[in-house]
Amino acid sequence: MRGRMTGLAVLFVFLVLAWTSSIMFGIVRVPFAAVIDAFWAFDGSRDQLIVRSVRLPRAMIAMLVGGSLAAAGCLMQALSRNALAGPELFGINYGAALTTVIASFLFGTTSLGLFTWSAFAGAAIAGFSVFILSSIGRQPLTSVKLVLAGATINLLLASLTQGILILNEQSLDTMRFWLAGSITGRDMQLFLAVLPYMLLGLVGSFLLAGHMNVISLGEEMAQGLGQRVIFIKLLCIGVIIVLAGSAVAIAGPIAFIGLAVPHMARFMAGTNYRWILPYAIVLGALLLLLADIAARFILPGEELPVGVVTAFLGAPFLIYLAQRKGGAK
C-alpha cells in the first residue's frame, strides 16, 4: 500500500508540473513570475490576461476531461470485461456529435454553449439507448449484449452524422475542428457549467470501485457473492454517461484516453479498482495535458486539435493491445 501511495504522489507531482507548463508555454510564452502574479497580484497586463482568460481554463478543462475519460474507460472495461472497451463503445462520442451537428444545422450557429449542451443531451440519449437495446429479449443483460448494442448504435449514429455533414457543407466547416477533439476557445464559464457533472461522475466511480472488483470476476460469481448485478450495471452505465458525456460535450470526441489509460493504471496499481481509478484519473489528466502542450508546437505557428495528437499516440497502442489479446487466445 505504501508503494501505491508513493506512486500516486509522484504522478500527482508530475501532474502539477504539467499543469504549470500548460499555463506557461504556447505561441506566447508566459514567465513563471507572471503566472504567480496572475493569481496573487493581478494588474491586467497582457501575460496575466492570457493566464486567467485562456491558459487557466484550458489547463483545467484538459485535466478534468482527461480524468473523466480515463475513469469512464475503467468502468467500461470492468463492466464489459473487454480490454478493448472505451467510452466510444456506448456510442457516446457519435451521439454527442450527431446532436451537435443537428443543432448547428437547425440554428445556424457555432456557439460553444449550444455545442456543449446539445452534445451532452446526445451523449445521454445514445448511452441509454444502448442500455435499452441490450436489455431487450428473454436473455438477461450481459456484457456481450452490451458490446453488440453499443457497436450497433455507434455505427448508426456515425452514418447519420456523416450523412448530415455531407448534405450540409456549412455544418461540415463549422464542426470540423470540434469533431477532431479540441479544448481551445473554451472559457471558465463553460468549464464551471460542466464541472458539477464531472465531479458527480468521479465521485460515483469511486463509490462503484468495490463493486467493480466483484463484477470483473464474472456475473455468476458476483451474483453468488450477493451483488445486485443489474442494478450495479445500471448505475455504472449512468456514471459512464455522465463522465464521458460531459467530457465530449466540452471538448469533443477525444479518442484513446479512455482505452489506453486504464491499462497503464492496472500495470502500475494492480487489479484493485480502488487503486486503479485514482491512478487512471491522475494519468488521464496528465496525458491529456501533455498532449495539449505537444499540440501547440508540432506545427510552427499553429495549433493542432488535441484529439489528433491523442489519436496519433493511441493508434500504435491499440494495435499492440489487439495483437497481444489475439495472441493470448
Side-chain angles (χ1 to χ4, degrees):
M1 179 171 179
R2 182 176 298 178
R4 290 171 177 170
M5 287 294 294
T6 302
L8 195 60
V10 171
L11 284 177
F12 187 77
V13 170
F14 280 114
L15 178 62
V16 173
L17 292 175
W19 180 81
T20 305
S21 300
S22 178
I23 293 177
M24 290 178 59
F25 300 114
I27 296 176
V28 176
R29 187 182 184 280
V30 178
F32 183 72
V35 175
I36 299 298
D37 289 341
F39 295 103
W40 303 109
F42 183 72
D43 60 10
S45 65
R46 185 198 68 166
D47 287 346
Q48 294 183 19
L49 283 173
I50 290 174
V51 169
R52 295 185 66 161
S53 62
V54 179
R55 298 277 175 83
L56 178 61
R58 183 169 179 171
M60 297 301 294
I61 289 171
M63 286 177 56
L64 264 296
V65 168
S68 297
L69 289 174
C74 284
L75 296 179
M76 275 294 310
Q77 291 176 13
L79 181 64
S80 64
R81 302 180 65 198
N82 183 351
L84 299 178
E88 302 89 350
L89 187 63
F90 275 178
I92 288 174
N93 283 2
Y94 278 111
L98 177 61
T99 51
T100 305
V101 167
I102 291 174
S104 175
F105 175 74
L106 292 178
F107 299 103
T109 179
T110 60
S111 166
L112 284 175
L114 176 66
F115 279 12
T116 299
W117 295 114
S118 59
F120 206 169
I125 293 170
F128 282 112
S129 297
V130 169
F131 175 76
I132 293 171
L133 183 61
S134 60
S135 301
I136 296 175
R138 296 181 179 179
Q139 297 297 323
L141 175 65
T142 63
S143 300
V144 174
K145 292 179 67 176
L146 201 59
V147 170
L148 291 175
T152 302
I153 293 293
N154 219 28
L155 289 173
L156 174 62
L157 296 177
S159 300
L160 292 174
T161 302
Q162 294 301 322
I164 294 175
L165 290 176
I166 290 172
L167 293 174
N168 185 31
E169 293 184 2
Q170 181 181 358
S171 294
L172 177 61
D173 292 336
T174 57
M175 289 293 299
R176 187 182 292 116
F177 204 74
W178 186 88
L179 286 171
S182 175
I183 55 177
T184 59
R186 277 64 171 170
D187 56 21
M188 191 60 74
Q189 183 177 356
L190 276 177
F191 169 71
L192 293 175
V194 180
L195 178 61
Y197 300 98
M198 290 183 172
L199 293 179
L200 177 64
L202 291 173
V203 171
S205 67
F206 281 113
L207 294 176
L208 287 169
H211 298 288
M212 290 298 100
N213 286 331
V214 180
I215 293 290
S216 62
L217 298 174
E219 295 180 14
E220 293 183 0
M221 179 71 74
Q223 289 176 346
L225 293 173
Q227 292 286 320
R228 300 170 60 187
V229 175
I230 298 299
F231 179 69
I232 297 299
K233 283 186 175 182
L234 181 58
L235 287 178
C236 188
I237 290 170
V239 171
I240 292 169
I241 290 171
V242 171
L243 285 169
S246 56
V248 173
I250 197 169
I254 295 177
F256 292 108
I257 294 292
L259 168 66
V261 170
H263 292 277
M264 299 177 188
R266 278 192 291 271
F267 177 78
M268 299 175 71
T271 58
N272 188 341
Y273 276 89
R274 290 189 174 94
W275 285 104
I276 291 173
L277 276 166
Y279 266 82
I281 290 168
V282 176
L283 276 169
L286 174 61
L287 289 179
L288 195 57
L289 275 173
L290 293 176
D292 184 47
I293 294 170
R296 307 173 194 181
F297 297 102
I298 292 176
L299 295 179
E302 295 185 19
E303 291 189 10
L304 287 175
V306 68
V308 174
V309 178
T310 59
F312 179 77
L313 297 175
F317 180 84
L318 178 59
I319 294 172
Y320 160 75
L321 189 62
Q323 288 180 339
R324 192 185 71 174
K325 293 299 177 182
K329 295 179 181 179

